[in-house]
Amino acid sequence: MCAIAQSHSIGAVARLIITTRHASEPHAWTLTLDAGEKSEIRPAALSQGTTIEVRDLFYATPARLKFLKTDRSEAEAVREVVRRLAMSRPDVAFTLAGEERAPVTWAAAPADDPLARLGDVLGADFRANAIAIEAEREGVRVTGFAGLPTLSRANTLGQYMFVNGRPVRDKLLIGAVRGAYADYLPRDRHPLLALFVTLEAREVDVNVHPAKTEVRFRDGGLVRGLIVRALKEALMREGQRAASTGGGATIAAFRPVTMARRGSYDWRASPARPVPMPAYSGKAFGLAEAD
């Protein structure tokens, strides 16, 4: 329903074309919205899946055009939206194409590898330094992956949170993450993570923000406490494992290096041997003998 509402909103201020085909259908169907004017649904050509094409954004409302940023900035904002959608639905393949960059494709991730899609979106560094998060209490479940404290940024743009599959930027969730990492990171550094909160729909209100980016939990303390505990336990567990594997190498680095001696080595043949002092003749150096 949220995606349909957003499509209608975009179609009211731009030219929007939606083409879709189910695997069981003999052909695809397409729908066009031009400044709010909806066309009839017509047959179309498409192998399988859904394509959404947006052109001439805000052409129907010229007053909004002056509030747009550069094409590159707006393209990155669109990319961020698709990135969040891709993380929330790893079972669906996504392709993003535009004029600013080459097309990006995220293939459908295998069901037995929950980190595959997150690694594709967030990068190989996140996949190599991520720890699994899983906790449940009183009907609230938290899953996902969080980066080690050594993998951090100067802002919270690398933090992705989802509530019942919906991407959100909620202050309560961000505060919970900050509290969990308080003993591991300074205040100006923030971890990378992707957390998924699942609970009954009646336990959360998703209509508290016009953009649907914030939510309100019926029991916010329960959700916050569960996230903090899950992250702290995972970080503690991972920290102990890292210390047990890396401590030996660290201690070995401080040990003095012992050089093996050769059996025939003679220090007197070394160029660095001490130069023998001349024998003392009883005369003062630099003084001539008196007559």
Side-chain angles (χ1 to χ4, degrees), residues 2-45:
C2 180
I4 295 176
Q6 291 177 350
S7 298
H8 279 289
S9 299
I10 297 174
V13 296
R15 294 184 173 94
L16 175 68
I17 303 174
I18 302 177
T19 306
T20 184
R21 179 183 179 182
H22 192 269
S24 61
E25 293 288 336
H27 55 76
W29 299 92
T30 185
L31 173 67
T32 301
L33 284 86
D34 192 341
E37 295 292 332
K38 184 170 61 175
S39 69
E40 296 182 357
I41 300 178
R42 304 185 306 272

Side-chain angles (χ1 to χ4, degrees), residues 16 31 43 87 128 131 140 155 210 221 228 257 270 291:
L16 175 68
L31 173 67
M87 284 189 284
I131 53 179
V140 181
N155 51 53
V228 172
V257 179
S270 172
D291 294 337

Side-chain angles (χ1 to χ4, degrees), residues 127-141:
R127 185 182 181 107
N129 295 276
I131 53 179
I133 306 297
E134 185 173 1
E136 186 171 358
R137 181 183 176 187
E138 299 181 19
V140 181
R141 188 166 184 260

Side-chain angles (χ1 to χ4, degrees), residues 3 10 17 25 63 65 69 90 96 124 133 159 176 184-185 196 209 213 243 256 263 265 272 281 289-290:
I10 297 174
I17 303 174
E25 293 288 336
L65 286 174
K69 300 179 181 179
L96 175 62
I133 306 297
Q159 297 180 2
Y184 299 90
L185 289 174
F196 301 84
H209 192 275
T213 57
Y265 178 76
S281 61
E289 186 176 354

Side-chain angles (χ1 to χ4, degrees), residues 29 57 59 72 79 216 245:
W29 299 92
L57 184 62
Y59 91 96
R72 184 174 182 178
R79 182 185 178 91
R216 182 174 299 165
T245 57

